[in-house]
């Protein structure tokens, strides 16, 4: 290519990316830096700030509530990442079989992923409603496991379990799609060879499917961690009493005694963790 | 492969049905409760004893206005023939303006408008940028390709404080128009990286020889993009549009931060949350409102379903 063409191409390229990159720069990159700046200030809702140096970091790191919400976040991450990965894998293996109405079933299990959180949380609220809900009906009236109806979502400890279950329900379809795409590309003769070797279904899963899928599994796990670290709406709308880090940050920033400087500080720390995870993803997963 | 035994088939269908029921049950619960009369809520069956459509009628404004509850003393005043008709109207208005009417149609329209505009702008800007990143060579190209991925993974929660403070400091947060503009821009960045990522991966699957041939025939690069790539990408563009639309339709966090004080401009997620925590929290209305919020998403989903799975695994794995 002549140098004029290369120049033209470069200038066209820059023109085409300019609007998108401009918006992203203004509304993502700049705010990330601004957030770092804000974390050194006492910030009011109306924009007034006073410089406080490292005080936000000091008070945050000596605040037991912060560690509590870190703990809740970790439990939430462990539960949801394992849950979505395992269920996604199981669903993908199941939907890779041929059976009648397979396309219908494949479509239906994607629904939770697309549905607005705000709609489905009410369905879940009703299921666990102490007076009318099917959960208490089953546990108390049908199975007689306990005598008293319990408000599972009202109690933060049990609400965490409900929130994890809800997240698995809502987000396993994305893991399922990634697994299914990979499963469909696994060569059939690998299975046939394993069958000739006398492997049963379990053996074929263990010796063929799992090794073929190991990179996708790692991808799914890492992506789940990255997304769920920031997950706000699903938790807040279903059970605002489960204080994962994003919820804790939201309360600091916009509820009660508003302290936007501290909220910025939490975000800075969380972003550092996130950057490490994304770096891992780009360096390891995308290179595979 | 060998045929399944009867036992294996039974097991397979049992598992498939269990999985589908697990996925669909909350939706059935919402539909069922929205159609039940309050006396029927304790009934664990999903099938209502009587079909009760009042909640839908109320939300969609199809209910006849309720008879106002007028205290006896006021009634006596009204019966007084000395009172002018105009005065009577004013008095009546005080009691019949049921402050608890929930302007659902309005919220739906708000949400539709902002989601539609976001999705159009996002798809358009993303297709330009994605084409450049996928096909053209320019300085900082790979930085941008990786940057998109990074930005795509930074969640809104991490940006809520700085974005709020920015809109306060430039004065956008203090007017309705400015707030709506802020929200539109925020929705744009929530959808742009996803859209760029999905479209970039798609454009790479289109053979370059097609553009080359067009350019041989005298098309400029831009024309080749416009006449060859865009029409070939229609299904994917549509999928990306739907995806962005649904993200904006579902968004709650920023709507709650920015629109709190402008009730007329609430979007559905915000309005539903307000409805749920207000004195009007009645299950059938909540569920009917949920159902109506779900409906457009399900329609979008069915329209885009054919291309959705491929598009998502090609990179659109947000969420």
């Amino acid at each position: 290519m002549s140098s004029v063409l290369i120049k033209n191409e470069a200038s066209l390229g820059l023109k085409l990316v300019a609007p998108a990159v401009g918006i992203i720069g203004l509304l993502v990159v700049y705010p990330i830096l601004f957030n770092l700046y804000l974390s050194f200030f006492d910030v009011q809702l109306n924009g007034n700030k006073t410089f406080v140096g490292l005080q936000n970091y000091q008070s945050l790191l000596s605040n037991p509530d912060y560690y509590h919400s870190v703990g809740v976040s970790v439990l939430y991450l462990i539960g949801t990442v394992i849950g979505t990965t395992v269920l996604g894998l199981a669903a993908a293996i199941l939907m890779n079989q041929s059976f009648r109405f397979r396309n219908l079933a494949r479509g239906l299990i994607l629904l939770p992923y697309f549905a607005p959180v705000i709609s489905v949380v009410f369905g879940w609220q009703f299921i666990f409603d102490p007076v009318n809900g099917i959960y208490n009906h089953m546990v108390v009236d049908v199975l007689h496991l306990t005598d008293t109806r319990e408000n599972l979502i009202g109690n933060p400890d049990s609400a965490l379990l409900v929130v994890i279950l809800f997240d698995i329900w809502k987000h396993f379809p994305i893991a399922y799609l990634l697994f299914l795409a990979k499963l469909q590309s696994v060569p059939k003769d690998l299975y046939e060879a394993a069958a000739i070797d006398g492997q049963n279904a379990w053996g074929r899963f263990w010796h063929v499917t799992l090794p073929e899928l190991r990179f996708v599994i790692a991808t799914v796990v890492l992506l789940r961690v990255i997304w769920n670290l920031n997950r706000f709406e699903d938790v807040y709308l279903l059970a605002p009493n489960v204080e994962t880090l994003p919820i804790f940050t939201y309360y600091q920033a916009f509820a009660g005694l508003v302290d936007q400087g501290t909220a910025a500080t939490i975000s800075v720390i969380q972003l550092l963790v996130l950057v490490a995870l994304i770096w891992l993803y780009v360096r390891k997963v995308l290179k595979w | 492969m060998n045929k399944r035994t009867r036992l294996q088939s039974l097991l397979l269908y049992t598992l498939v049905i269990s999985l589908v029921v697990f996925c669909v049950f909350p939706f059935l619960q919402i539909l069922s409760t929205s159609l039940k009369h309050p006396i029927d809520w304790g009934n664990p069956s999903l099938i209502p004893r009587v079909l009760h459509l009042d909640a839908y009628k109320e939300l969609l404004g199809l209910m006849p206005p309720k008879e106002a509850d007028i205290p006896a003393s006021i009634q006596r005043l009204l019966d007084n023939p000395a009172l002018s008709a105009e005065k009577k109207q004013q008095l009546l208005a005080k009691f019949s303006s049921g402050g608890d009417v929930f302007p659902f149609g309005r919220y739906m329209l708000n949400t539709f408008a902002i989601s539609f505009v976001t999705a159009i702008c996002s798809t358009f800007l993303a297709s330009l940028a994605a084409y450049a990143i996928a096909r053209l060579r320019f300085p900082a190209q790979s930085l941008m390709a990786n940057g998109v991925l990074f930005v795509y993974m930074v969640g809104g929660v991490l940006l809520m404080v700085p974005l709020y403070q920015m809109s306060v400091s430039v004065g956008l947060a203090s007017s309705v128009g400015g707030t709506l503009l802020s929200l539109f821009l925020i929705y744009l960045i929530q959808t742009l990286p996803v859209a760029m990522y999905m479209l970039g991966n798609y454009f790479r699957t289109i053979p370059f020889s097609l553009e080359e041939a067009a350019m041989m025939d005298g098309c400029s690069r831009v024309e080749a993009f416009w006449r060859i790539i865009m029409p070939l990408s229609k299904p994917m563009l549509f999928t990306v549009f739907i995806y962005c639309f649904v993200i904006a339709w579902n968004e709650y966090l920023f709507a709650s931060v920015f629109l709190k004080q402008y009730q007329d401009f609430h979007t559905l997620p915000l309005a539903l949350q307000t409805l749920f925590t207000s004195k009007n929290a009645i299950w059938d209305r909540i569920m009917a409102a949920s159902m109506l919020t779900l409906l457009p998403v399900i329609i979008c989903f069915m329209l885009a379903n054919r291309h959705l799975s491929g598009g998502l695994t090609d990179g659109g794995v947000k969420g």
Side-chain angles (χ1 to χ4, degrees):
Chain A
M1 249 196 287
S2 75
S3 65
V4 180
L5 276 178
I6 291 177
K7 224 180 202 167
N8 282 345
E9 187 171 305
S11 99
L12 177 64
L14 288 172
K15 268 183 218 150
L16 291 181
V17 292
V21 169
I23 292 171
I24 290 174
L26 180 69
L27 294 171
V28 180
V29 181
Y30 175 74
I32 287 176
L33 300 173
F34 189 47
N35 197 38
L36 182 62
Y37 172 80
L38 287 176
S39 70
F40 299 111
F41 287 83
D42 178 22
V43 187
Q44 306 298 316
L45 262 183
N46 62 13
N48 290 342
K49 325 184 233 305
T50 12
F51 182 75
V52 294
L54 287 171
Q55 200 186 308
N56 285 332
Y57 288 88
Q58 275 162 0
S59 63
L60 183 69
L61 293 177
S62 58
N63 182 354
D65 291 345
Y66 176 65
Y67 294 101
H68 176 254
S69 81
V70 170
V72 173
S73 268
V74 169
L75 289 178
Y76 174 71
L77 279 176
I78 292 173
T80 57
V81 171
I82 293 177
T84 47
T85 310
V86 170
L87 187 60
L89 182 56
I93 291 171
L94 198 57
M95 292 296 155
N96 201 30
Q97 315 290 323
S98 59
F99 53 88
R100 254 146 55 98
F101 304 116
R102 182 169 75 166
N103 286 337
L104 179 68
R106 280 185 176 179
L108 285 175
I109 65 172
L110 290 179
L111 269 183
Y113 176 70
F114 282 92
V117 187
I118 190 75
S119 302
V120 289
V121 288
F122 295 130
W124 280 71
Q125 291 267 4
F126 191 85
I127 290 171
F128 291 100
D129 183 71
V131 182
N132 302 308
I134 187 82
Y135 168 79
N136 274 301
H137 175 76
M138 288 303 288
V139 170
V140 179
D141 299 337
V142 179
L143 300 171
H144 300 290
L145 295 177
T146 58
D147 291 337
T148 47
R149 295 179 158 255
E150 273 174 76
N151 185 358
L152 236 54
I153 294 179
N155 172 356
D157 294 329
S158 51
L160 178 61
L161 290 176
V162 178
V163 165
I164 289 173
L165 187 64
F166 175 70
D167 183 272
I168 295 172
W169 174 80
K170 192 148 179 23
H171 297 284
F172 91 86
I174 213 60
Y176 148 80
L177 279 179
L178 290 168
F179 287 130
L180 187 64
K182 179 68 194 169
L183 273 181
Q184 285 169 344
S185 73
V186 174
K188 283 249 172 7
D189 42 340
L190 283 180
Y191 287 104
E192 279 159 20
I196 290 166
D197 285 349
Q199 300 281 4
N200 57 13
W202 176 250
R204 291 197 294 273
F205 171 74
W206 197 251
H207 294 289
V208 181
T209 311
L210 268 190
E212 285 286 315
L213 286 183
R214 65 179 190 278
F215 294 127
V216 189
I217 294 173
T219 309
V220 167
V221 167
L222 202 50
L223 282 176
R224 293 310 326 148
V225 175
I226 290 172
W227 295 131
N228 277 1
L229 188 63
N230 296 326
R231 191 160 303 290
F232 172 77
E233 298 177 12
D234 304 37
V235 183
Y236 178 76
L237 293 175
L238 181 61
N241 52 359
V242 176
E243 286 200 25
T244 56
L245 274 174
I247 317 284
F248 183 67
T249 315
Y250 181 79
Y251 287 145
Q252 294 289 322
F254 295 106
L257 288 172
V258 167
D259 188 349
Q260 296 220 313
T262 300
T265 310
I266 305 169
S267 302
V268 168
I269 298 173
Q270 203 178 324
L271 186 74
L272 289 178
V273 176
L274 190 73
V275 168
L277 289 168
I278 297 176
W279 182 81
L280 196 67
Y281 178 75
V282 172
R283 285 310 299 270
K284 295 280 175 198
V285 174
L286 291 187
K287 293 279 184 287
W288 287 337
Chain B
M1 288 228 181
N2 43 1
K3 263 268 184 252
R4 284 188 204 106
T5 64
R6 188 170 291 192
L7 188 68
Q8 281 171 327
S9 297
L10 188 70
L11 184 68
L12 178 70
Y13 279 100
T14 313
L15 287 173
V16 169
I17 291 170
S18 319
L19 184 65
V20 170
V21 168
F22 173 67
C23 290
V24 177
F25 184 79
F27 295 100
L28 297 178
Q29 182 75 71
I30 296 169
L31 180 65
S32 146
T33 312
S34 75
L35 295 171
K36 275 182 179 173
H37 192 276
I39 52 165
D40 212 6
W41 288 342
N43 168 16
S45 159
L46 285 175
I47 299 161
R49 289 204 187 93
V50 277
L51 211 57
H52 168 82
L53 293 170
D54 285 11
Y56 286 96
K57 286 186 193 156
E58 221 177 304
L59 288 173
L60 296 173
L62 302 172
M63 276 298 246
K66 274 202 193 112
E67 285 296 314
D69 242 356
I70 300 169
S73 56
I74 304 293
Q75 191 58 51
R76 274 199 297 280
L77 249 172
L78 285 169
D79 291 341
N80 185 349
L83 204 67
S84 73
E86 200 181 318
K87 275 266 160 64
K88 279 184 190 172
Q89 279 299 322
Q90 280 176 2
L91 263 175
L92 263 176
K94 254 187 201 155
F95 290 92
S96 52
S97 70
D100 62 341
V101 176
F102 185 71
F104 189 81
R106 185 180 173 113
Y107 296 143
M108 204 152 189
L109 212 61
N110 290 344
T111 320
F112 184 84
I114 194 156
S115 310
F116 190 82
V117 175
T118 302
I120 289 273
C121 295
S122 191
T123 310
F124 176 69
L125 293 178
S127 56
L128 299 184
Y131 179 76
I133 290 176
R135 279 284 203 272
L136 302 173
R137 253 159 301 169
F138 56 92
Q141 178 196 17
S142 72
L143 176 74
M144 278 175 199
N146 288 326
V148 171
L149 189 72
F150 172 76
V151 166
Y152 167 50
M153 290 180 173
V154 175
V157 171
L158 297 179
L159 301 174
M160 80 190 160
V161 171
L163 285 174
Y164 183 79
Q165 287 293 333
M166 279 162 71
S167 81
V168 168
S169 65
V170 289
L172 282 177
S174 57
S175 70
V176 183
T179 304
L180 290 176
L181 179 67
S182 314
L183 204 60
F184 162 69
L185 288 172
I186 288 169
Y187 284 7
L188 208 53
I189 52 153
Q190 303 256 311
T191 51
L192 249 182
V194 199
M196 278 168 76
Y197 202 62
M198 284 169 89
L199 283 171
N201 285 337
Y202 187 80
F203 289 155
R204 280 190 202 101
T205 65
I206 300 175
F208 181 60
S209 53
L210 290 174
E211 288 151 88
E212 237 171 3
M215 287 191 283
M216 298 276 197
D217 291 344
C219 276
S220 71
R221 189 104 207 195
V222 177
E223 280 169 342
F225 167 65
W226 207 244
R227 290 199 194 158
I228 309 288
I229 301 292
M230 289 301 257
L232 278 177
S233 309
K234 258 186 204 155
M236 194 59 189
L237 288 168
F238 180 66
T239 306
V240 170
F241 171 84
I242 297 273
Y243 201 61
C244 295
F245 182 87
V246 170
I247 291 178
W249 182 272
N250 295 349
E251 206 281 336
Y252 170 82
L253 172 62
F254 285 101
S256 90
V257 170
F258 278 83
L259 291 175
K260 196 151 252 171
Q261 48 175 329
Y262 302 113
Q263 196 163 3
D264 282 350
F265 294 92
H266 277 190
T267 57
L268 277 174
L270 189 49
L272 251 70
Q273 181 65 0
T274 316
L275 179 69
F276 186 63
T277 49
S278 73
K279 61 184 159 72
N280 302 317
I282 308 167
W283 281 119
D284 57 347
R285 288 178 67 186
I286 293 277
M287 295 304 191
S290 300
M291 219 49 225
L292 293 171
T293 306
L294 266 170
L295 204 63
V297 176
I298 291 180
I299 293 170
C300 286
F301 174 75
M302 292 197 301
L303 290 175
N305 190 14
R306 220 180 313 159
H307 306 286
L308 216 51
S309 308
L312 289 175
T313 43
D314 282 348
V317 284
K318 193 177 182 77

